[in-house]
Amino acid sequence: NAHVAAGRLPDEVYESTLSPLRLCLRKVLVGCVEWESEVLGGWQLRHPWLDKYFLATSMLGTHTFFMVFLPVFFYFGDDSTGRGLAYVAAFGVYSTSFLKDLVCSPRPYAPPVTRLTIGSHHLEYGFPSSHTANCTSMALFLMARLYPLWTSGTLSTLGYALTGVLLLLYVFTIIGGRLYLGMHGFVDCTAGFIVGIAMWLVQWAYMPPLEQWLTTAGWIAPLTVTAICLLMVNQHPQPVDDCPCFEDAIAFMSVVLGVLLSLWTAKKVPVLDASNFGTLQPGSSFDSPTAVATFVAFSLLKVVTGILVILGWRLAAKPTAQTILPPLFRFLARAVPFQLPNRRHYTPATEYANHPPHNLQPIPSMIDLSLSVTTEGGEAGIASALGGRRGAGEVKRRGAVLPVPEKQVEFKLSHEDQREAIKHYDADVLTKVVVYAGIAIIASLLSPAAFEALGWGV
């Protein structure tokens, strides 16, 4: 029987598809996965409280979390920290997604491992761990960011040490959670840790000079960063399986594109430049309970407003792009003397009559926030990640009906059914670039300028 998780098709498929180097790397990693699966399966001890804790904390590595968390730095005037965190997160996701699709290594096998996950991460390859890379690079960035405050005496030694302890707890929680949940093995997490360190160093060494160049360059700057972003999307390795990690890579690199375009625009349009803003947020004096309450109220107002604007953009941008792009692609396919680039598993516009369905949800759907449990009894499904109805049921898989034991949650499509329900179109790729670059521009440039104009301050 062919396995449905990414990286678990019959070996013959990979041997006939991958280059010799990629196939060699995969064979080495698959050997590690086979050994680790047995070890993790023997060590894995489940407890309801730990299930909930590690599932909840795993959401700290999702793009939905970053979409809500990162804009807050721009809303409250710490643009450089917001940009830095966006860079390390994007570089980590792109690098790990690149390696995942390059080597096509599976996650730990279930069984013997019991796997719990939120969303569709279980459909991705395993090596290396994106969650591990992100938490490592973000922790290093924040510690480096606070270091000058500690050396100058602005931040006390106790405060710096406590911050370090909290960040270590965050890192160990995320890495430990990936092992506990059966999502990754030791090799995946070790590689993710190394990638996280490397991406922090890349951000530290190269992004400040790039930002300095952007603030002084002319139109060559936005054209260059846009071309580089599109090139990185185009050169992302083609996987054997239909692995969704490519879409995360597109989203995060598009966010970097939007942030860089916003930085360049702010220097060309002073009214949008946060360094020129002078309005304090109401209540910033903190000299009375009323002032504190006012500050808290305006803080919530800005965050909620910012999130609603982003969601509104997502609602409007995707159907617009998916209405415009397919006819454009069909026209170009007829007009140019060469074949337009197209990824495996993505249907070209010449093969579907109408634009693809507008299926990007403005907020996470229940499918995105559901719990997938893979156990020896079969693959089951749909319920809230942090609790849900339990009961017996059935799961359809390859035409057969498998029983779902009562200890498993119910109502979710099997992994294979999820794959069959997902359709990819060539317009989806450029649409994601537009949507997520727009999110970054709104969060880092337009929303702060609007808050300044409204007197809410940043």
Side-chain angles (χ1 to χ4, degrees):
N1 294 327
H3 298 286
V4 295
R8 300 192 65 181
L9 291 171
D11 290 340
E12 294 80 4
V13 177
Y14 301 97
E15 292 171 357
S16 63
T17 306
L18 298 178
S19 67
L21 177 59
R22 293 174 68 183
L23 183 61
C24 180
L25 292 172
R26 183 181 186 277
K27 287 182 176 179
V28 172
L29 291 170
V30 168
C32 295
V33 171
E34 291 174 347
W35 175 80
E36 288 179 323
S37 297
E38 296 296 332
V39 173
L40 290 172
W43 287 1
Q44 201 172 30
L45 299 175
R46 296 278 306 284
H47 188 279
W49 185 88
L50 290 176
D51 289 354
K52 295 179 180 181
Y53 174 74
F54 284 120
L55 279 167
T57 54
S58 71
M59 296 180 67
L60 300 178
T62 63
H63 73 276
T64 301
F65 166 75
F66 288 117
M67 189 181 71
V68 175
F69 170 69
L70 292 179
V72 171
F73 290 94
F74 298 99
Y75 299 162
F76 294 92
D78 196 356
D79 292 31
S80 58
T81 298
R83 291 196 304 270
L85 288 172
Y87 298 151
V88 294
F91 296 162
V93 170
Y94 182 84
S95 299
T96 53
S97 298
F98 188 99
L99 292 172
K100 284 178 179 179
D101 281 357
L102 181 71
V103 298
C104 304
S105 176
R107 295 185 182 272
Y109 299 149
V113 169
T114 300
R115 184 182 303 140
L116 296 88
T117 179
I118 293 177
S120 60
H121 293 289
H122 58 289
L123 299 178
E124 298 178 0
Y125 298 116
F127 176 90
S129 168
S130 300
H131 278 71
T132 300
N134 278 348
C135 71
T136 301
S137 60
M138 293 178 71
L140 289 171
F141 174 83
L142 291 173
M143 288 302 292
R145 185 77 177 164
L146 294 175
Y147 180 76
L149 299 179
W150 175 54
T151 56
S152 66
T154 305
L155 180 65
S156 68
T157 299
L158 178 60
Y160 191 62
L162 287 176
T163 302
V165 169
L166 290 175
L167 289 174
L168 277 176
L169 176 62
Y170 165 63
V171 171
F172 282 116
T173 292
I174 296 299
I175 297 177
R178 305 323 281 163
L179 297 171
Y180 176 88
L181 298 172
M183 293 294 288
H184 288 287
F186 305 110
V187 174
D188 297 343
C189 291
T190 300
F193 185 77
I194 294 171
V195 169
I197 295 174
M199 293 304 102
W200 168 67
L201 290 173
V202 168
Q203 181 277 327
W204 174 77
Y206 295 108
M207 294 313 293
L210 176 60
E211 288 190 346
Q212 181 61 36
W213 173 69
L214 277 172
T215 59
T216 58
W219 282 98
I220 189 64
L223 295 176
T224 300
V225 296
T226 301
I228 291 174
C229 176
L230 295 177
L231 180 64
M232 293 177 71
V233 171
N234 177 261
Q235 293 301 305
H236 196 281
Q238 302 242 24
V240 176
D241 304 84
D242 184 6
C243 179
C245 60
F246 170 66
E247 298 184 357
D248 286 339
I250 300 174
F252 274 92
M253 289 312 302
S254 300
V255 166
V256 169
L257 172 62
V259 168
L260 293 176
L261 293 178
S262 296
L263 179 62
W264 179 83
T265 302
K267 299 305 177 183
K268 303 302 178 183
V269 185
V271 71
L272 298 176
D273 189 354
S275 63
N276 297 327
F277 297 167
T279 303
L280 291 177
Q281 182 173 316
S284 297
S285 62
F286 296 106
D287 55 1
S288 68
T290 301
V292 173
T294 301
F295 183 87
V296 171
F298 272 89
S299 297
L300 292 174
L301 179 61
K302 290 199 297 184
V303 171
V304 171
T305 301
I307 292 174
L308 290 177
V309 171
I310 289 174
L311 296 181
W313 163 255
R314 283 168 62 94
L315 270 176
K318 181 167 184 178
T320 301
Q322 287 194 329
T323 299
I324 296 172
L325 291 177
L328 176 61
F329 288 171
R330 295 186 193 105
F331 169 77
L332 292 176
R334 294 190 299 267
V336 299
F338 54 86
Q339 184 176 359
L340 296 178
N342 188 71
R343 286 183 63 84
R344 184 182 296 128
H345 307 299
Y346 282 74
T347 305
T350 53
E351 296 183 12
Y352 54 90
N354 300 313
H355 56 75
H358 305 144
N359 54 7
L360 178 64
Q361 300 295 326
I363 58 177
S365 66
M366 290 308 296
I367 288 289
D368 297 327
L369 297 179
S370 60
L371 169 63
S372 290
V373 181
T374 304
T375 67
E376 187 172 356
E379 300 177 28
I382 237 177
S384 168
L386 303 182
R389 295 193 298 167
R390 296 175 180 270
E394 296 176 336
V395 174
K396 184 178 180 182
R397 184 176 176 187
R398 291 200 180 277
V401 177
L402 302 180
V404 179
E406 290 188 3
K407 65 180 181 179
Q408 295 182 5
V409 291
E410 62 177 351
F411 298 137
K412 190 165 188 179
L413 293 171
S414 70
H415 293 184
E416 180 176 335
D417 292 333
Q418 290 181 57
R419 287 186 178 283
E420 292 176 350
I422 296 173
K423 301 293 184 182
H424 300 296
Y425 303 90
D426 55 356
D428 291 341
V429 177
L430 194 54
T431 295
K432 275 189 174 290
V433 174
V434 172
V435 169
Y436 283 92
I439 287 175
I441 292 171
I442 290 170
S444 64
L445 182 71
L446 301 182
S447 290
F451 295 156
E452 172 73 7
L454 291 170
W456 296 0
V458 292

